[in-house]
Amino acid sequence: MAALGKRKRSSDRFVNSSSQTRISRAETSSNTQDELRAPGDGGGRGFVEGSIVRITMQNFLSYNYSEVVPGPNLNMIVGPNGTGKSSIVCAICLGLAGKTAVLGRGDKVGLYVKRGCTKGFVEIELYRTQGNLVINREIHVENNQSVWMVNGRHTSQKAVEEEVRALRIQVGNLCQFLPQEKVGEFAKMSKIELLEATEKSVGPPEMYKFHCELKTFRTKERELENVCKEKASFLERAKQRNERNRQDVERFYEKKRHMDMIKMLENKRPWVEYETVRCELEAVKAEREETKKKLKTLKETQAPILRKIQAVDGQLQPIESQMKEKAAAIKQATLECKRKQDELDSRNREIEDVQQALRLAQTEEAERQKRISNTRRMIDDLQAELDSVATQEDVQPQINAVSVELRQLQDERTRGQGELSDLFREKDRLTGERTRVVEKLRSLEDVMKRKEEVLRRKFPDTYNALLWLRQNRQRFTGNVHEPMMLVINVRDARHAKYIESHVALNDLRAFVFQRQQDMETFMTEVRDHQKLRVNAVIAPHESCAGRAPSRPLQTLRHFGFFSYLRELFDAPEEVMSYLCHQYRVHDVPVGTQETKAMIETVIRESQLKILFTAEEKYTVRKSSYSQKTISSNTALRPPHYLSLMVDAEEKHQLQERQRSAEQRLQSVDRQLKALQERHAQLDRRDNELRAQKKELSERKGKKRQLEQKISTKQDSLRQMEGCGMDLQRKEQETGARIRAVNSQKVAIMTDFTQHIKLRARLQLEVVYLALDTVQLSAEKNKLESESRDGGARLRQLEQENTALCERKSRLQETCRQLLRRAKEICNLDPGESSVPQRLQEAFGQLPDTLDEIDALLHEERSRAECFTGLSATVVEEYTRGTQEIEQLTGELEEKRSSLETYRQHISQAKENWLNPLKQLVEQINEKFSDFFRSMQCAGEVDLHSESEEEYDKYGIRIRVKFRSSTQLHELTPHHQSGGERSVSTMLYLMALQELNLCPFRVVDEINQGMDPVNERRVFDIVVRTACKGTTSQYFFITPKVLQNLRYADEMTILCVHNGLQMLPPNKWNEKAFIRRAQRRAPPADR
């Protein structure tokens, strides 16, 4: 029996001794460790290449030092929980360069070094025929680094991984290495993952390689198929596009022929135009010479008549000059007459103005006399009214009394206004205070909403139950508290991690009830009717919230403790009572880094069962073997649910402040209303007194007003009487001015008469000269009538001659322009005067008239315009398209050839992979089915694929049934129970075991979920399979062993236990232990 214990440390807290030996159930083996193997040599009975010969651990997890020597077949490691069984599994994994993720424990390798040590090491000796392989890994805590050695020589981790891989050891393959934390993940493996793990574990070395090559080939095949499809599609589109371009090319060349004809017609047309205009120019020249001759003959005939007309014109000119002079004199005389007439009109207007001024003066005087009369009458009326007022009584005492009362009212209004201002300021202050308090309360409510959102996201069923509770609180008679994570309020967010680490998550999301009946009503509704998964607890009948701790905090302060857990948070009384009763939060102290620094002293002297340091939780208990103190520590996780805090005291104070502010606001509103009503009464009384005072003041001031009015009217009367006008003198002045103006009018009239007479005489002379002009004009008209016919013909000829000259010039310029244009169009030198022979031959086939050329040109242009959207690029595109089609055709043939080659490779690789794989799966299925039949159950393993060509979709499907009434179901994490999954996993691994292609397998505590019947059946299969001579090494770790199991001689049982009196490994004597055991046994048992 190999006993692995713990040797006592200097602190006496942990007992950790270690020693080992080996014993079989059937007989005691006398082979010692030295007989089993010699270090460094290749000898070993029953070991396969890569099997573990020895495992040595120092300062590793729970071991100070221990050496494990397994057997070549089945190794069953047995021991209670916490003794170090899984530590051996960790040593195998890490010692063979495995990743920490495989173990599912700490992510840093330094965490596997024993607490309190700076380094540890693991040494594993593997069997090899050419000499055993010893791998040593020294782990340093400080930097999480490892030092590797192989057979005593330093090396790298990569070299170790290559050595391990060469021995077909795969600690990352769950089919070969299944640690405790990964047992559940085996059933979660997909069919594809299970196939790959099986290939790596029991398949030939080239099987997984062929599988990977097939997947790669298939991927490249799909890529080539897609490329071929794309290129074929692109080639077809290119051919279609080129066919369309071919038709466009034919149309382009046809259009080009029409365009050449158009160009030739356009080249000939200027020459035809030039020849037409040149012929017209010759005709115009001949016509112009004929017109010149006719014009010369007509001019000789008209010469005598023209000389007579000129003589008459010489007589008419002096007469017309005299008539112009007389007309100017008449005009001057007329202007003088008009000027004199204007002067007469001005004098008449002056007389009218003088007379008008006199009439205005008379009217003003009459108005003045009327105003004087009215003023005197008004003075008499005012005097009579003044006499009547003088007899009334004095109102001044009444005015004084009213003024006194008004001042009193004003003083009272001023005081009231001050009080109103004070109340308004107080109201504004209270309103602002209430607003601030409401905002703070709203922010606290937002924190609660965020906590509820966390609850809704993490535990939707609990959140739905919370909503139902809030709507149905009236159905409960006692207090019902919402989930603890909502009602617990941590006073400092930094302390939330302590509460979350101490209180179970199921309780944090549990509802707390004061009465049992209420909890039953709640659970019946939400769990049975609504099918919600919620938790509920009931508070103790007697409150424990105020329970005192077992010792005062002052006695623990020298250890660094600053508070008990209860003082770090607030909660309703029932919730606090439950936590004190269930978790003893009133008796769990919380310390600091100072506590962590002296943790061994704290555990030894304080006798605390649970305590917290700054970042860790410690649990202390007494060992059931040695009665020594054993502690375990866990790192505190960051808080997730209680870090959002609401200060309950602050919330209560804010609510009190809100109620107080609202009460004071109501009081201020009542005072404001009373003051405003009193202010309105004072306003009404003030208006009444002011009206009364105004009336009295009016009565008092009426006499003074009448006296002032009388005085004012008298002053006005005196002023009007002093402003009188002398009308008689005004009339005399007006008469003198009229007479002076009339004298001026007589002188102006004399000059006007003289100018009238001069104008009449001049007009008479103009009449005589006009008679002479008429006589001469008649004679001239007669002569002109005689020569009119000849003059018209002369002018006509002159006009014709001028027109012909202009036409000749235009035609000459047109001929020059047309000739130059024709040469330019035909690209001729300016010196050439005729059409070249090559053009004459081309022009000879074309029409010779402009009309025919224009008609043919219009026809050709119409035909060319029918070919729209064509250019020389069409020909280029057609040429490029043809070349591209040839290139694409070659590329497509090349890709198709490559695709055919890949398919041949795939066919060959598939044959190399699939047939051996099917045989392998059939062998596994045969063993797996046999194992299940031996357990009166059914199971099968087959190769499953959705498509034969999708090699990355191939997988191994495990189907099982444990009851005769059911069908075979695929092994999944959800359909089977935990025990059924464990049985299926174990039997699959045993089916792989007999194939014996990996050096060893490790299975850690897979029988935890099995019932005793299945566990016994599985154990029998494991013993029967793993103890065959043809199988590889097998490690089976279990914390329990059923009674009366069947064992085999090839088994090795390693018992792991701890105790105070355990011997070191080098002092253990297996034979002496067996002798003592036999002596103590009763004679009947011997």
Side-chain angles (χ1 to χ4, degrees):
M1 169 183 264
L4 305 181
K6 298 184 178 180
R7 187 169 52 197
K8 182 178 179 183
R9 294 183 55 198
S10 59
S11 63
D12 293 333
R13 286 197 304 110
F14 299 105
V15 177
N16 185 3
S17 64
S18 61
S19 64
Q20 78 278 335
T21 183
R22 188 175 76 245
I23 185 171
S24 68
R25 181 179 180 277
E27 63 179 358
T28 302
S29 174
S30 60
N31 294 329
T32 63
Q33 179 178 331
D34 293 334
E35 292 172 333
L36 181 65
R37 52 115 185 123
D41 67 19
R45 294 184 306 164
F47 286 97
V48 299
E49 192 83 1
S51 296
I52 298 176
V53 176
R54 175 178 55 86
I55 306 170
T56 304
M57 299 168 286
Q58 182 174 348
N59 296 331
F60 185 80
L61 290 177
S62 59
Y63 294 105
N64 281 346
Y65 175 83
S66 182
E67 186 173 278
V68 180
V69 181
N73 299 109
L74 175 61
N75 293 274
M76 188 169 70
I77 302 176
V78 185
N81 289 325
T83 56
K85 302 184 303 300
S86 295
S87 299
I88 300 174
V89 177
C90 295
I92 295 174
C93 177
L94 299 180
L96 296 177
K99 307 298 183 183
T100 55
V102 174
L103 301 172
R105 291 191 173 188
D107 57 344
K108 297 179 181 179
V109 71
L111 298 175
Y112 292 85
V113 176
K114 186 173 182 179
R115 187 175 59 82
C117 299
T118 59
K119 64 180 181 178
F121 84 86
V122 175
E123 186 173 270
I124 297 179
E125 183 175 351
L126 302 175
Y127 174 77
R128 286 196 311 187
T129 55
Q130 72 273 22
N132 288 357
L133 180 69
V134 180
I135 300 174
N136 184 292
R137 180 177 189 174
E138 187 176 279
I139 304 171
H140 295 267
V141 177
E142 183 177 359
N143 52 8
N144 276 307
Q145 297 294 321
S146 298
V147 178
W148 294 88
M149 296 180 68
V150 173
N151 291 335
R153 295 188 302 274
H154 287 281
T155 186
S156 64
Q157 181 174 344
K158 185 175 181 181
V160 174
E161 291 174 352
E162 292 176 355
E163 293 282 356
V164 170
R165 191 179 303 112
L167 294 173
R168 296 182 58 82
I169 298 174
Q170 305 167 15
V171 293
N173 189 339
L174 295 184
C175 289
Q176 180 176 345
F177 193 89
L178 191 61
Q180 179 180 351
E181 286 75 9
K182 297 292 183 176
V183 170
E185 292 188 11
F186 186 89
K188 297 179 183 178
M189 292 175 66
S190 66
K191 294 187 285 291
I192 299 172
E193 293 171 340
L194 183 58
L195 172 60
E196 292 180 354
T198 303
E199 287 176 332
K200 295 176 183 178
S201 177
V202 298
E206 66 276 4
M207 179 177 287
Y208 182 68
K209 177 183 176 183
F210 285 147
H211 191 185
C212 294
E213 289 178 354
L214 272 175
K215 290 190 284 187
T216 304
F217 286 156
R218 177 55 184 158
T219 301
K220 292 183 178 179
E221 181 188 17
R222 283 196 295 264
E223 293 175 356
L224 285 174
E225 288 175 350
N226 294 333
V227 170
C228 289
K229 289 179 182 178
E230 291 176 1
K231 287 191 176 294
S233 176
F234 191 76
L235 178 60
E236 183 62 27
R237 291 197 299 271
K239 289 181 178 179
Q240 294 174 0
R241 184 171 60 251
N242 217 41
E243 180 62 24
R244 292 194 298 270
N245 288 341
R246 186 184 63 78
Q247 298 173 1
D248 291 340
V249 168
E250 292 176 355
R251 294 175 65 242
F252 172 77
Y253 282 121
E254 186 176 354
K255 178 181 179 181
K256 189 174 184 301
R257 287 193 296 273
H258 290 296
M259 296 303 296
D260 292 340
M261 176 62 73
I262 291 170
K263 183 177 181 182
M264 189 58 66
L265 289 171
E266 289 176 346
N267 287 342
K268 183 175 181 179
R269 192 178 188 286
W271 290 103
V272 175
E273 288 180 345
Y274 167 72
E275 188 62 27
T276 303
V277 174
R278 189 184 64 77
C279 294
E280 185 180 357
L281 176 61
E282 295 298 328
V284 169
K285 286 181 179 180
E287 186 178 357
R288 178 173 173 273
E289 291 299 328
E290 184 66 25
T291 302
K292 278 185 177 182
K293 293 178 182 180
K294 292 179 181 180
L295 183 61
K296 183 178 180 182
T297 303
L298 188 58
K299 283 183 178 181
E300 291 175 354
T301 304
Q302 291 291 328
I305 298 174
L306 293 175
R307 285 194 293 271
K308 290 180 180 181
I309 292 173
Q310 291 175 356
V312 173
D313 286 337
Q315 294 176 5
L316 282 172
Q317 287 179 355
I319 295 174
E320 290 176 353
S321 299
Q322 291 178 10
M323 288 182 68
K324 289 180 181 179
E325 293 176 356
K326 299 298 182 181
I330 291 171
K331 183 177 180 181
Q332 182 65 32
T334 301
L335 291 175
E336 289 295 330
C337 289
K338 186 176 183 307
R339 188 171 62 78
K340 295 301 179 180
Q341 183 64 44
D342 292 339
E343 290 181 357
L344 285 174
D345 293 339
S346 176
R347 298 299 181 272
N348 290 333
R349 286 194 298 273
E350 186 177 353
I351 291 172
E352 289 179 358
D353 291 340
V354 172
Q355 291 175 348
Q356 181 67 25
L358 178 61
R359 287 194 294 273
L360 289 175
Q362 291 173 348
T363 302
E364 288 178 359
E365 181 62 21
E367 290 293 331
R368 187 178 69 82
Q369 292 297 331
K370 185 177 180 180
R371 288 198 301 274
I372 290 172
S373 175
N374 290 336
T375 302
R376 287 175 178 170
R377 187 168 56 255
M378 289 175 63
I379 290 173
D380 293 341
D381 293 340
L382 290 172
Q383 187 63 44
E385 186 177 358
L386 179 61
D387 293 341
S388 64
V389 169
T391 59
Q392 295 179 0
E393 63 179 349
D394 188 11
V395 295
Q396 185 61 41
Q398 299 178 20
I399 293 174
N400 293 339
V402 172
S403 299
V404 170
E405 189 173 355
L406 278 172
R407 284 194 295 273
Q408 293 174 353
L409 284 175
Q410 187 63 33
D411 293 342
E412 187 174 354
R413 286 180 63 191
T414 302
R415 290 192 301 273
Q417 192 66 35
E419 293 177 0
L420 278 174
S421 299
D422 294 340
L423 287 175
F424 276 120
R425 283 194 296 271
E426 179 66 14
K427 183 177 180 179
D428 292 341
R429 185 186 66 79
L430 292 173
T431 302
E433 181 180 355
R434 183 181 63 180
T435 302
R436 289 190 296 272
V437 170
V438 169
E439 289 296 329
K440 290 182 179 179
L441 284 172
R442 187 176 292 113
S443 65
L444 295 179
E445 291 174 358
D446 290 342
V447 173
M448 290 300 298
K449 290 180 180 178
R450 288 165 58 193
K451 294 175 74 173
E452 291 175 10
E453 177 61 22
V454 173
L455 178 68
R456 184 191 66 78
R457 188 173 63 253
K458 297 290 186 180
F459 311 107
D461 286 358
T462 305
Y463 180 76
N464 293 331
L466 172 65
L467 298 181
W468 181 87
L469 172 64
R470 290 177 175 175
Q471 296 173 358
N472 299 274
R473 282 192 179 274
Q474 69 279 2
R475 296 177 59 176
F476 303 100
T477 57
N479 292 334
V480 181
H481 297 285
E482 296 177 355
M484 294 187 196
M485 60 185 297
L486 297 182
V487 299
I488 290 178
N489 183 47
V490 182
R491 297 175 182 176
D492 190 334
R494 294 174 299 175
H495 300 153
K497 58 186 178 182
Y498 302 124
I499 294 92
E500 287 194 21
S501 297
H502 189 63
V503 180
L505 180 58
N506 285 337
D507 279 347
L508 283 178
R509 63 189 183 95
F511 295 83
V512 181
F513 291 83
Q514 185 182 22
R515 298 185 178 180
Q516 181 71 29
Q517 183 180 359
D518 289 342
M519 186 173 74
E520 293 175 356
T521 302
F522 176 79
M523 296 305 287
T524 300
E525 174 64 32
V526 300
R527 180 175 289 178
D528 298 340
H529 296 169
Q530 300 185 24
K531 306 300 181 183
L532 300 178
R533 299 176 62 185
V534 299
N535 294 340
V537 298
I538 187 167
H541 182 68
E542 294 183 3
S543 177
C544 302
R547 183 179 295 176
S550 60
R551 69 188 75 184
L553 183 63
Q554 296 298 331
T555 62
L556 300 175
R557 288 195 182 276
H558 64 282
F559 293 127
F561 295 106
F562 63 90
S563 175
Y564 281 109
L565 202 58
R566 180 178 59 185
E567 277 66 44
L568 300 181
F569 65 94
D570 297 314
E573 183 176 355
E574 285 81 3
V575 176
M576 186 66 78
S577 177
Y578 175 80
L579 293 176
C580 290
H581 176 76
Q582 186 70 22
Y583 293 97
R584 300 186 61 80
V585 295
H586 64 287
D587 212 19
V588 177
V590 181
T592 60
Q593 289 292 349
E594 180 183 355
T595 311
K596 170 65 177 177
M598 54 190 307
I599 188 63
E600 295 183 359
T601 304
V602 173
I603 293 175
R604 184 174 61 251
E605 298 181 3
S606 65
Q607 302 299 317
L608 293 170
K609 295 183 179 179
I610 300 177
L611 59 94
F612 285 92
T613 63
E615 299 296 336
E616 293 178 326
K617 176 183 177 181
Y618 284 83
T619 303
V620 184
R621 62 184 178 85
K622 290 285 188 179
S623 171
S624 58
Y625 297 99
S626 62
Q627 298 300 313
K628 292 295 183 179
T629 301
I630 300 175
S631 68
S632 61
N633 63 308
T634 55
L636 298 181
R637 301 184 304 273
H640 297 287
Y641 309 105
L642 302 179
S643 55
L644 298 174
M645 50 177 287
V646 177
D647 192 336
E649 182 63 26
E650 180 185 3
K651 183 177 180 181
H652 178 71
Q653 293 177 359
L654 289 174
Q655 290 173 343
E656 289 296 327
R657 286 174 59 188
Q658 183 183 11
R659 285 193 292 271
S660 175
E662 290 176 349
Q663 292 174 358
R664 286 186 287 172
L665 275 173
Q666 293 174 359
S667 175
V668 169
D669 288 337
R670 289 193 295 270
Q671 295 179 26
L672 279 173
K673 184 177 180 181
L675 283 175
Q676 288 171 348
E677 292 176 355
R678 177 59 180 165
H679 194 71
Q681 293 175 359
L682 293 176
D683 286 342
R684 290 194 295 271
R685 180 58 180 164
D686 182 78
N687 292 335
E688 293 173 357
L689 291 175
R690 289 185 183 279
Q692 182 180 358
K693 183 178 180 181
K694 181 179 180 182
E695 181 183 358
L696 293 174
S697 298
E698 288 177 352
R699 288 170 57 187
K700 177 182 177 182
K702 190 171 183 180
K703 179 178 179 182
R704 184 167 59 255
Q705 291 175 359
L706 291 173
E707 291 175 351
Q708 291 176 353
K709 287 181 180 179
I710 291 172
S711 174
T712 301
K713 295 297 182 182
Q714 288 176 348
D715 293 340
S716 177
L717 179 61
R718 286 191 294 271
Q719 184 177 3
M720 286 188 291
E721 289 176 346
C723 294
M725 183 182 298
D726 190 356
L727 288 177
Q728 186 177 1
R729 184 170 62 83
K730 184 70 173 177
E731 291 173 354
Q732 292 175 357
E733 292 177 354
T734 301
R737 289 187 62 186
I738 292 172
R739 285 193 293 274
V741 172
N742 287 333
S743 299
Q744 295 175 1
K745 287 174 64 179
V746 171
I748 292 171
M749 193 63 188
T750 303
D751 293 339
F752 179 74
T753 304
Q754 291 177 356
H755 288 296
I756 287 293
K757 291 179 179 179
L758 175 60
R759 188 179 66 176
R761 182 172 56 78
L762 291 173
Q763 288 177 345
L764 184 59
E765 292 176 354
V766 169
V767 170
Y768 291 147
L769 291 173
L771 292 174
D772 294 339
T773 302
V774 169
Q775 185 178 359
L776 291 173
S777 296
E779 186 178 358
K780 179 180 178 183
N781 290 335
K782 182 179 179 182
L783 293 172
E784 289 178 348
S785 176
E786 293 176 355
S787 63
R788 185 172 293 118
D789 295 335
R793 179 60 182 165
L794 180 63
R795 286 191 298 275
Q796 181 181 359
L797 291 175
E798 288 177 348
Q799 291 175 356
E800 290 178 357
N801 184 55
T802 303
L804 288 172
C805 291
E806 293 176 354
R807 186 179 176 189
K808 174 190 173 184
S809 299
R810 288 196 301 272
L811 289 173
Q812 288 176 340
E813 180 63 27
T814 302
C815 282
R816 286 193 295 271
Q817 292 178 357
L818 290 174
L819 181 59
R820 184 169 59 253
R821 179 168 171 268
K823 290 180 180 180
E824 289 175 355
I825 290 174
C826 295
N827 296 322
L828 300 178
D829 294 334
E832 295 185 30
S833 58
S834 61
V835 181
Q837 184 63 30
R838 59 183 178 81
L839 291 178
Q840 289 181 4
E841 294 176 357
F843 290 166
Q845 300 176 4
L846 300 176
D848 295 328
T849 63
L850 286 176
D851 292 340
E852 292 175 346
I853 289 175
D854 288 342
L856 183 57
L857 189 61
H858 177 72
E859 181 181 353
E860 292 295 329
R861 284 175 176 168
S862 298
R863 290 180 178 179
E865 287 175 357
C866 294
F867 300 93
T868 58
L870 298 176
S871 63
T873 57
V874 175
V875 179
E876 297 176 2
E877 289 180 3
Y878 180 75
T879 304
R880 286 198 305 269
T882 303
Q883 296 172 354
E884 185 179 3
I885 288 172
E886 295 175 355
Q887 181 181 355
L888 284 173
T889 302
E891 292 178 356
L892 181 58
E893 291 300 327
E894 181 182 352
K895 293 297 182 182
R896 285 174 176 170
S897 176
S898 300
L899 178 59
E900 186 62 29
T901 302
Y902 262 104
R903 286 174 175 169
Q904 293 175 1
H905 292 165
I906 289 174
S907 177
Q908 183 64 35
K910 180 179 179 181
E911 183 178 352
N912 295 335
W913 171 73
L914 189 57
N915 292 335
L917 177 61
K918 288 181 177 179
Q919 295 175 3
L920 177 64
V921 174
E922 184 60 32
Q923 293 175 12
I924 296 173
N925 177 51
E926 182 180 353
K927 297 297 181 182
F928 189 76
S929 301
D930 290 343
F931 292 154
F932 262 86
R933 278 193 298 272
S934 68
M935 296 177 60
Q936 287 79 46
C937 299
E940 67 177 30
V941 176
D942 62 357
L943 187 62
H944 178 267
S945 176
E946 298 175 359
S947 173
E948 185 178 355
E949 302 301 326
E950 298 299 330
Y951 305 107
D952 56 345
K953 300 296 177 61
Y954 274 80
I956 286 182
R957 179 174 60 180
I958 301 175
R959 297 194 297 166
V960 297
K961 73 170 183 176
F962 290 87
R963 286 165 291 278
S964 59
S965 60
T966 61
Q967 299 293 326
L968 286 171
H969 289 284
E970 186 174 345
L971 181 65
T972 65
H974 311 293
H975 191 275
Q976 289 81 14
S977 66
E980 292 172 345
R981 292 198 302 271
S982 297
V983 170
S984 302
T985 302
M986 192 67 184
L987 294 184
Y988 184 80
L989 295 179
M990 295 313 302
L992 300 182
Q993 178 71 14
E994 290 197 359
L995 298 177
N996 195 25
L997 289 179
C998 62
F1000 65 86
R1001 281 190 174 82
V1002 177
V1003 179
D1004 188 3
E1005 296 192 15
I1006 198 172
N1007 58 336
Q1008 285 292 82
M1010 299 182 190
D1011 59 82
V1013 175
N1014 284 333
E1015 185 176 356
R1016 185 177 299 277
R1017 292 173 177 174
V1018 169
F1019 185 81
D1020 290 342
I1021 294 173
V1022 170
V1023 172
R1024 187 170 64 251
T1025 304
C1027 291
K1028 291 181 179 179
T1030 58
T1031 60
S1032 59
Q1033 194 176 38
Y1034 201 96
F1035 290 88
F1036 182 73
I1037 294 92
T1038 177
K1040 59 179 181 174
V1041 178
L1042 297 177
Q1043 295 181 357
N1044 300 321
L1045 292 175
R1046 297 178 181 176
Y1047 295 88
D1049 294 340
E1050 292 81 9
M1051 289 179 59
T1052 300
I1053 301 176
L1054 303 174
C1055 295
V1056 183
H1057 54 90
N1058 57 10
L1060 182 63
Q1061 306 300 328
M1062 292 302 299
L1063 293 174
N1066 55 0
K1067 295 183 179 180
W1068 181 263
N1069 189 317
E1070 179 180 337
K1071 295 179 179 180
F1073 176 80
I1074 295 174
R1075 286 196 299 270
R1076 285 197 301 272
Q1078 291 176 345
R1079 285 197 301 268
R1080 294 177 181 177
D1085 295 338
R1086 296 179 185 175

